[in-house]
Amino acid sequence: MLLRSSVLRATSRVATTRSLLLRTSPLGVTTPWISKHAGIRYNSSDATSNITDIQTQLPSIDDLTTSTIDQTSHAIGELSQHVGYLQSIGLAQTWHWPADIIQHTLEYMHVYTGLPWWGTICATTILIRLLMFPLYVKSSDTMARNTHVKPELDKLNKELMASSDMSKSQSIALQRKKLMAKNGIKNRWLAAPMIQLPLAIGFFNALRHMANHPVDGFTNQGIAWFHDLTQADPYLGLQLITAAVLISFTRLGGETGAQQFSGPMKKFFTILPLVSIPATMNLSAAVVLYFAINGSFSVLQTVVLRNKWVRKKLAIADVAKPPVGLPKEPEKGIWQSLKDNMANAKDQAEKRRIMKEKEEKMHAIVKEQRENARIKIVRKTKFHK
């Protein structure tokens, strides 16, 4: 019994000594207890500070995930802050295609102004419309001058359409040209608003491709209820704004402020924007934002060009009111107007064909006369000499 108890006491002493020698460090690494206390004994002043500086607890997984997400969110949009980024991802490859030109312009605006993408789209749209404003001023002036000579022009145009004689048609065309020159009308300015069509197509394609890629920053640089420019507007707010402004500037007289739409045409331009809402509901918010800003600028431009003080300062002619007392022609529907225009175009093409045939016959007669004029009459007596 004495031997067994002494063996047990010796075993317990060995186990206690071993546990003291192999204590674990705060970071989970086993460190000899003796070496640790030796460091404290011979360098006690530094050991206290070192022990307090040792991190006793690792960060949790939630903290690491949150910090990583924050760093990633701050990094979104950094790539697009450099000129040439769009070209590096396959966009803005040329300088002659409308969509590529718009993408280059958007990139320069985004980089050099520091605006977010929604502000870049708005600023670029407004800048281009401001550059086009002088063309709309010329177009508004031309339309207004046309209203002063509209009865005479309509009369000459009807005579020209009804004429099948080439000389008479040329005479009528010359009268019309003199009338327009006398009143300072240059019809080339009427085509100025048509420049808006390729620009609109360019914006549509450029923004659609940028949203589909998507461009860095498009997913979080929206505003208000459309924070993600790559997704469709969930509340159709942009579509409703676009439809409202399109109806407004049509009622006000078009983008030039001088257009006079008939009743059926006003109904058509009222229904068309409403139909466009379901047609554009799946487009990205970036594309519809352009439509909304462009339409809003059109309404503002119409209001400005209708202002008498502005028209006086810009030397724009006033729109003449229709003469009182003259019988008004009955208004035609849209489909009837299209049918009449097609019929008139067909009649005009037939008349031009007839006139061309007459002209070719006249040229043949003149050519024959010239050839006959070169023939000399030689008497028979001259052959015997």
Side-chain angles (χ1 to χ4, degrees):
M1 294 294 293
L2 293 174
L3 181 61
R4 180 178 295 180
S5 61
S6 61
V7 171
L8 290 175
R9 283 196 297 268
T11 305
S12 62
R13 289 175 184 174
V14 172
T16 304
T17 306
R18 186 176 182 181
S19 63
L20 290 174
L21 292 175
L22 297 177
R23 285 187 178 180
T24 56
S25 67
L27 295 177
V29 180
T30 58
T31 306
W33 181 84
I34 296 175
S35 62
K36 180 178 178 181
H37 282 271
I40 297 174
R41 182 177 180 181
Y42 295 105
N43 196 7
S44 59
S45 60
D46 294 337
T48 304
S49 61
N50 290 335
I51 291 173
T52 57
D53 291 339
I54 295 175
Q55 185 177 0
T56 60
Q57 185 179 0
L58 292 174
S60 63
I61 296 176
D62 294 337
D63 294 338
L64 289 174
T65 305
T66 304
S67 62
T68 304
I69 292 174
D70 291 339
Q71 293 177 2
T72 305
S73 63
H74 286 299
I76 293 177
E78 292 295 329
L79 294 176
S80 60
Q81 294 294 329
H82 304 281
V83 175
Y85 163 71
L86 293 182
Q87 189 173 9
S88 68
I89 62 175
L91 302 174
Q93 296 295 308
T94 66
W95 278 98
H96 55 80
W97 193 250
D100 292 343
I101 295 173
I102 297 299
Q103 288 174 352
H104 279 297
T105 307
L106 288 168
E107 184 176 50
Y108 285 128
M109 181 69 72
H110 180 66
V111 172
Y112 291 113
T113 62
L115 291 171
W117 277 116
W118 75 266
T120 301
I121 296 170
C122 296
T124 305
T125 303
I126 294 173
L127 176 62
I128 292 177
R129 290 304 303 264
L130 287 174
L131 293 176
M132 293 179 61
F133 183 72
L135 299 179
Y136 282 98
V137 171
K138 290 288 187 181
S139 181
S140 179
D141 181 63
T142 302
M143 287 185 176
R145 292 178 183 273
N146 268 315
T147 60
H148 291 272
V149 295
K150 188 176 184 302
E152 299 177 47
L153 278 177
D154 290 344
K155 182 180 178 181
L156 291 175
N157 288 332
K158 287 182 180 180
E159 292 179 0
L160 185 62
M161 291 287 290
S163 176
S164 58
D165 186 8
M166 184 181 64
S167 59
K168 186 177 179 181
S169 298
Q170 290 177 350
S171 176
I172 296 172
L174 183 60
Q175 292 179 21
R176 187 178 64 176
K177 185 177 180 180
K178 288 181 178 179
L179 178 64
M180 296 174 66
K182 182 181 178 181
N183 290 273
I185 300 173
K186 297 179 180 179
N187 283 333
R188 64 174 177 267
W189 296 116
L190 296 177
M194 296 300 295
I195 302 175
Q196 181 67 19
L197 182 60
L199 286 175
I201 296 174
F203 263 103
F204 174 79
N205 289 326
L207 293 172
R208 184 169 61 89
H209 291 154
M210 292 172 72
N212 290 340
H213 193 275
V215 168
D216 186 48
F218 256 50
T219 56
N220 69 334
Q221 292 186 14
I223 193 175
W225 66 91
F226 51 97
H227 190 68
D228 189 350
L229 295 174
T230 64
Q231 300 297 321
D233 185 352
Y235 303 106
L236 300 180
L238 294 173
Q239 284 85 349
L240 293 173
I241 293 173
T242 304
V245 295
L246 288 176
I247 295 172
S248 300
F249 91 82
T250 302
R251 295 284 180 175
L252 291 172
E255 291 182 294
T256 61
Q259 292 171 287
Q260 296 178 352
F261 296 107
S262 61
M265 292 300 293
K266 286 184 178 180
K267 292 180 182 179
F268 175 75
F269 285 116
T270 301
I271 297 173
L272 183 63
L274 297 177
V275 175
S276 69
I277 294 177
T280 59
M281 62 186 300
N282 293 323
L283 294 177
S284 63
V287 176
V288 190
L289 175 61
Y290 161 73
F291 289 149
I293 297 301
N294 188 60
S296 300
F297 189 92
S298 298
V299 173
L300 178 61
Q301 177 178 278
T302 303
V303 173
V304 170
L305 291 179
R306 284 174 62 89
N307 186 274
K308 292 183 179 181
W309 182 83
V310 173
R311 296 183 76 87
K312 184 178 180 181
K313 290 296 182 180
L314 297 179
I316 304 175
D318 293 328
V319 179
K321 296 181 179 180
V324 181
L326 293 178
K328 295 183 179 180
E329 296 182 358
E331 293 184 351
K332 300 177 182 179
I334 297 175
W335 297 112
Q336 186 62 36
S337 299
L338 291 175
K339 289 180 180 179
D340 292 345
N341 290 333
M342 292 177 64
N344 291 333
K346 186 177 180 180
D347 293 340
Q348 187 67 15
E350 183 65 21
K351 291 176 181 178
R352 287 178 180 176
R353 185 185 65 80
I354 296 173
M355 291 173 61
K356 187 176 181 181
E357 291 179 355
K358 290 182 178 180
E359 186 177 0
E360 290 176 354
K361 289 181 180 179
M362 290 181 62
H363 281 300
I365 292 172
V366 171
K367 185 177 180 181
E368 185 179 356
Q369 290 178 352
R370 288 178 180 177
E371 291 178 355
N372 292 336
R374 296 176 184 175
I375 300 174
K376 295 182 180 180
I377 300 175
V378 181
R379 295 183 178 182
K380 186 176 179 181
T381 55
K382 292 182 180 181
F383 289 100
H384 297 286
K385 292 183 180 180

